Every structure is written in structure tokens, then in C-alpha cells.
Amino acid sequence: MRWHRIQALVLRYTYLYTRSVPRVTEILFWPLMDLLVWGYVSVYLHRVGGVSGAANAFMFLLGAMIFWDILYRAQQGVTLSFLEDVWSRNLLNVFVAPVRVSEFVLTTFIVGFFRIAVTIGVLAGLAYALYSFNIFSLGMSLVPFFANLLLMGWALGMVTTSLIMRWGQGAEALAWGVPFLIQPVAAVFYPLDVLPGWLQPVALSIPATHVFEGMRQVLRGEGVSAASLAAAFALNAVYLVAAALFFRYMFTVARRKGLLAKLGTQ
Amino acid sequence: MNEAVVQVEHLRKEFNGTVAVADVSFNVRHGEIVGVLGPNGAGKTTTIQVLLRLTTPTSGAVRVFGKDLERHRCEILQRCNFCSAYTALPANLRVRENLRVTGGLYGVKDLPGKMDRLLELFEITHLKNKVTGQLSSGESTRVNLCKSLLNDPELLMLDEPTASLDPNIADKVRKLLRRIQREQGITMIYTSHNMRDVEEVCDRVLFLHKGGIIAEGTPQAVIAQFNHKTLEEVFISVARSGDLLAEATE
Ligand SMILES: Nc1ncnc2c1ncn2[C@@H]1O[C@H](COP(=O)(O)OP(=O)(O)OP(=O)(O)O)[C@@H](O)[C@H]1O
Ligand SMILES: [Mg+2]
């Protein structure tokens, strides 16, 4: 791996994002909309519930919404970076340069990281301003939670990118759709035990489930569960390796089928 | 210097049963400009893509700078570059930003100086601060050419680089390519449907038809071989009777 190549790719995305009004607004727009909708749903629940549990529901929903967005943005950072090159017919310029696939992927990880940093900043600020919800009251436990969401976002991003590489621009919708395939089972907005028994093992095999469960535990004042975190990190390690292997395999297939060239010139 | 920069042996590429390149062998010597011609679908772009390892061959061996392409991809690509009418640089970046990124990818030394010299060479210094997506197709072709020379490539692959240039600029580009080749000894592989391009720029041509080479030699030799006056006449007659020829040379 060569740092100057990664630096050059990161520079390109920096130009890309700062030059384009739609891209900047997109990073701010969706989180803001989500926050407004979920925030007011929570306020409403708080009002109609009126019981002690509703105060928790309020925090759970807002917290879940912010955490979900982090996962989603991390995945988008990876996949959209690849799509940017496809859309601008620049893919070949990248791969005729001496860029290693690992350098390209690492760059998309870095972009994913910056996207979530922005998302966290925006959402945390707005949640505090609009609803006096301070996500940082979760304290230092946020760091491993965020780290796990980022890792899972990277793994998901590699998988969606591989699928788009293989099935072309027709599969582009996957970039936005794949995360929502797991949302129902990842116990994002409701606790794990709401899911039917047979689905719970599936849920527990998803790293994010442990993060969302852990978050609710912290919000309930029960402290950080080391077991949740360990499970999330362990699962993420497995998923990242699997996703990287899958990506590498799909890249080989793309080379064999001439798909890079097709994606890069159409 | 006569050593082969590119050695292709029995290259074959199939896509799901479609044979794009059937069996192609050729060498490109140092400092040579080789034109790859042939009708649509002959396998020209596929051959170049294999040489850039964007596509892996079904069978056959490709060596560049005497090294196996599969095992030394990065090292080889560091010394090559590519320009095509069908790729673009990111549209919402300025020209100089795109060149800066390319320079970074190849680790170019004295990048600002080199950028200025190339922009001047292609007479597009005034476009330096323009947004790439706003350029005319001929202007962006010239920016692409600057991009492809930024790392001082020893081997330059050009896939229809002059496809969108006006006759005046096309003429200038042809002369520039010759001059660059003369002064810096760059080896080039060049595809074009413009026979004038090929006659003027190429030292040698490979005539591809249905994935095989059916004629090879200097433009004059190929013209003479087919008893025609221009390469264009050769092209048309070969393209129309190519099947017979392909059978004859098998
Ligand atoms: N990725 C691909 N998948 C399937 N078939 C392909 C692919 N790429 C090329 N082909 C087929 O291979 C053949 C050669 O294509 P190629 O692009 O190399 O031709 P070419 O000589 O560059 O033609 P043109 O003059 O039109 O640019 C064509 O029949 C084409 O349909
Ligand atoms: Mg072609």
C-alpha cells in the first residue's frame, strides 16, 4: 500500500464533496429529516403515553435513529464512492493507474469515516437543540458503539459495492436498499425480545443488534455491557473478513467478464 | 533499442462464449507507435484492456517491460498510461484538480511544473481553472491526453483518442504525439478509425478482424500488400471480404 495514492483518492473525494451542493445537502438533509420525523414521533409518544416508560421510549427512538443513520452513512460512504467513479466514467482512470484494490477500498473506508463524523456532529447538535437530547450523555461507551457501527457499515458497503460491480448500474438501487433489508431484524427501534423466537438467533448474528441492545441498556442506566460489545466486535471481524473476500472475488469476476470496462465507459 | 516493450502470445479472450479475441500474438518494440485497426467489434479495445489488466485473458501470455503482467501489475501500470474518448475525468472537478489527483496517483514529482508544461503543449492553459464537465468534447480529449502524459509513461495506450477532435486539432495532436514519441521515445499502442491518423502517426499497423490479426506491417507495406492506394481502401476491402481473408490466413 502506498500512502500517496490513498491521499490522492481521498483528495478527489474531498473535491467531489465540497464542489457539489447536492452532495453536501444530501449529507445534511436526510439526517435532518429523519431527526424531525422520529423526534416528533417520540415527543408524541411521550405525550400520549404519559407513563414513566414513555420517557425511555423517547430516548430509545432518538438514540436508535441517530445510531441507525451512522450505520447507514458508513455503508453509503463506501458504496457511493464507487458509484461516483462509475457515474463520472472515471473508474478506468483509477484502475489503469497503479492503484491496488485494497487502496481503493481503504479510501472508501476513510470517506465512510468522515461521513459518519459529519453525521454524528450534525445529528447530535440538532437533537440537542430541538429536543434537549444529549447523545453524549452516553459517555465514553459511545466510542465502541460508533466504532462497531462504522465497521459494520464498511462490511455492508463492500457487499453492496460488489453486487453493483457484478450486476451493473441496474443494481444501483441496492446501494440504498441493502441496509434496510437488515433493519427489521437488527432490533434498531425495538428490543430484541419483540422479535419472534425463531428470528432472534438471526438478529443476534448481526453486529448492529448488539450495538442497539447495548445502547438501550446504557440509556436505561444499566451501564455498558461488555458482552454486547465483545459480541459486536467479534461478529464485525468475521463480517469484515468475509466481505473483503467477497469483494475480492467479485473484482476477479468483474475482470474476467470485462465489467470494469463496461461500468467505466457507459 | 529494439527490445520488446510488449509481448503478447496467443492471447484469447472470450466473454460468455463470445470470442472477442481469438488468437493474437504480437510484439511492440521500444519507441514504436503501433496502430491497431479493424472494424467495429474486431477486438481492439479488448486487447488494450487486457494490456491494462482491466480484463483478464482467457488464455495466452502478456508480458510488459519483460515482466509478467499478472504478477507485476502495479509496477507495470506505474510506467504506463491510457487515454480513451470513452472515459472522462470527474466532471465537477476543475481541470487542475483532476490533474493534481492523477499526479498524486502516480506520485509525480514537480507536479505543478509538469502540469503547466503539458497544458501549454496541448494549448489548453486557459482551461486550467475550468470545471471539467463544462469542456467541449475536443477540449476534454486534450485534457485526457495531458492526464495520460503526466507520469511520463514509457508505454501509452490510446483508444480512439482523436475521435472527437476537429481536423485542425486532430492534426496538431497527431504531430504532437509524433513529437513526444521522437523526443521521449515513448512506445504507443493506438487504435483509431481514422485512417489518416494511422498513416501519419503509426510506424506499424496490426489489422484485426474477428479477433485475429489478418495483416501486419508498416502502413505502406500493408497498402502495397493489398494493391490499394490508401489505408482507407484497404480497410474497406478487408472489412468487406474479411471472412475470406481470415480463412485464407488460417
Ligand atoms: N464485457 C464484455 N462482455 C461481453 N462481450 C464483450 C465485452 N466486451 C467486448 N465484448 C465483445 O467482444 C467483441 C470485441 O469488442 P471490442 O470492444 O474489443 O471491439 P473493438 O475492436 O474495440 O470495436 P470498436 O471499433 O467498435 O470499438 C465485440 O463483439 C463485443 O461485443
Ligand atoms: Mg473499441
Side-chain angles (χ1 to χ4, degrees):
Chain A
M1 272 203 208
R2 283 295 175 80
W3 183 239
H4 69 87
R5 296 197 283 253
I6 295 169
Q7 228 176 345
L9 289 172
V10 170
L11 176 70
R12 188 169 50 115
Y13 291 119
T14 315
Y15 284 141
L16 221 65
Y17 280 105
T18 52
R19 286 293 178 282
S20 158
V21 178
R23 284 183 186 83
V24 174
T25 39
E26 187 236 10
I27 292 182
L28 305 177
F29 179 79
W30 294 115
L32 176 63
M33 291 304 119
D34 282 347
L35 196 68
L36 287 176
V37 171
W38 286 106
Y40 287 116
V41 167
S42 313
V43 170
Y44 171 65
L45 283 179
H46 191 28
R47 198 179 292 162
V48 294
V51 284
S52 60
N56 275 340
F58 171 72
M59 289 194 301
F60 289 170
L61 276 179
L62 266 186
M65 188 256 123
I66 294 177
F67 272 43
W68 171 256
D69 229 55
I70 290 168
L71 173 65
Y72 187 55
R73 296 296 144 189
Q75 177 264 351
Q76 297 266 289
V78 175
T79 308
L80 291 189
S81 299
F82 177 80
L83 277 174
E84 290 284 2
D85 282 320
V86 173
W87 291 330
S88 59
R89 295 194 295 148
N90 183 51
L91 203 62
L92 294 196
N93 285 323
V94 175
F95 286 108
V96 300
V99 173
R100 289 184 196 285
V101 180
S102 55
E103 290 164 349
F104 182 81
V105 172
L106 186 64
T107 305
T108 67
F109 284 3
I110 295 172
V111 174
F113 175 79
F114 282 116
R115 281 185 79 126
I116 79 156
V118 173
T119 306
I120 291 170
V122 172
L123 286 180
L126 284 172
Y128 190 71
L130 292 172
Y131 313 107
S132 335
F133 173 73
N134 183 5
I135 185 106
F136 296 109
S137 64
L138 271 77
M140 284 313 283
S141 58
L142 276 179
V143 176
F145 284 150
F146 286 171
N148 270 300
L149 293 171
L150 179 64
L151 294 176
M152 183 167 160
W154 287 347
L156 266 182
M158 278 194 280
V159 172
T160 37
T161 307
S162 310
L163 296 174
I164 293 169
M165 195 153 58
R166 174 64 187 82
W167 281 284
Q169 293 199 51
E172 247 173 51
L174 289 174
W176 292 271
V178 165
F180 288 99
L181 275 178
I182 38 176
Q183 195 185 41
V185 254
V188 179
F189 293 108
Y190 36 77
L192 180 66
D193 55 30
V194 169
L195 291 173
W198 61 269
L199 207 52
Q200 290 187 16
V202 180
L204 284 170
S205 68
I206 300 171
T209 307
H210 300 273
V211 174
F212 289 105
E213 287 286 290
M215 171 204 69
R216 281 185 286 267
Q217 222 169 0
V218 173
L219 285 176
R220 281 197 300 267
E222 292 166 17
V224 189
S225 152
S228 293
L229 279 177
F233 273 118
L235 284 169
N236 265 326
V238 174
Y239 282 93
L240 270 173
V241 172
L245 291 174
F246 183 63
F247 187 90
R248 207 177 64 175
Y249 170 71
M250 284 308 210
F251 205 85
T252 313
V253 172
R255 273 207 174 113
R256 194 169 64 229
K257 292 183 174 288
L259 302 173
L260 284 184
K262 283 274 166 292
L263 269 178
T265 53
Q266 276 170 359
Chain B
M1 279 193 275
N2 265 333
E3 72 270 27
V5 170
V6 177
Q7 292 163 282
V8 175
E9 279 164 33
H10 298 296
L11 173 67
R12 184 178 177 82
K13 181 63 195 176
E14 289 172 26
F15 294 108
N16 283 330
T18 314
V19 180
V21 176
D23 179 7
V24 162
S25 301
F26 64 92
N27 284 354
V28 180
R29 287 185 297 275
H30 180 92
E32 210 181 11
I33 303 186
V34 171
V36 181
L37 348 169
N40 292 139
K44 306 178 295 291
T45 299
T46 305
T47 305
I48 285 195
Q49 278 163 2
V50 168
L51 288 173
L52 290 161
R53 218 178 145 67
L54 292 169
T55 298
T56 39
T58 305
S59 63
V62 178
R63 294 173 74 79
V64 182
F65 307 123
K67 295 191 167 98
D68 182 65
L69 180 61
E70 195 181 329
R71 273 185 294 145
H72 300 273
R73 172 182 165 267
C74 256
E75 197 188 328
I76 290 170
L77 289 182
Q78 176 68 42
R79 300 162 64 187
C80 296
N81 215 320
F82 169 69
C83 175
S84 159
Y86 303 104
T87 63
L89 290 161
N92 55 356
L93 268 63
R94 290 174 200 290
V95 169
R96 70 178 146 78
E97 292 166 344
N98 269 320
L99 294 178
R100 245 184 93 188
V101 170
T102 307
L105 287 179
Y106 289 90
V108 174
K109 305 230 159 52
D110 178 31
L111 185 57
K114 183 152 289 159
M115 265 162 57
D116 287 341
R117 279 195 296 282
L118 282 170
L119 289 168
E120 203 173 313
L121 195 64
F122 286 96
E123 301 178 27
I124 47 171
T125 306
H126 59 288
L127 301 179
K128 192 173 167 179
N129 289 314
K130 264 204 149 184
V131 176
T132 310
Q134 291 171 356
L135 303 179
S136 77
S137 55
E139 288 170 342
S140 52
T141 300
R142 282 183 280 165
V143 172
N144 278 345
L145 282 164
C146 286
K147 170 251 149 191
S148 69
L149 288 165
L150 208 53
N151 64 324
D152 285 322
E154 294 162 61
L155 171 62
L156 183 58
M157 281 167 261
L158 305 163
D159 195 8
E160 302 186 36
T162 54
S164 57
L165 299 177
D166 73 45
N168 169 42
I169 301 295
D171 181 61
K172 283 186 179 171
V173 165
R174 283 195 291 267
K175 295 205 161 71
L176 265 176
L177 287 175
R178 279 252 61 127
R179 192 175 120 200
I180 292 165
Q181 184 268 345
R182 228 180 14 251
E183 288 172 2
Q184 304 175 26
I186 303 182
T187 309
M188 297 187 202
I189 298 178
Y190 192 111
T191 82
S192 177
H193 287 301
N194 182 338
M195 293 306 114
R196 175 102 185 259
D197 262 20
V198 177
E199 274 175 67
E200 217 177 298
V201 176
C202 301
D203 300 306
R204 195 153 61 91
V205 299
L206 301 175
F207 213 120
L208 247 61
H209 187 72
K210 297 201 170 165
I213 296 177
I214 54 167
E216 187 178 351
T218 62
Q220 292 71 30
V222 171
I223 294 169
Q225 186 186 334
F226 288 90
N227 285 320
H228 281 297
K229 288 198 187 64
T230 64
L231 212 48
E232 182 137 348
E233 286 173 17
V234 176
F235 188 101
I236 292 169
S237 73
V238 167
R240 290 183 187 163
S241 63
D243 299 330
L244 297 170
L245 261 159
E247 278 163 28
T249 49
E250 253 167 24

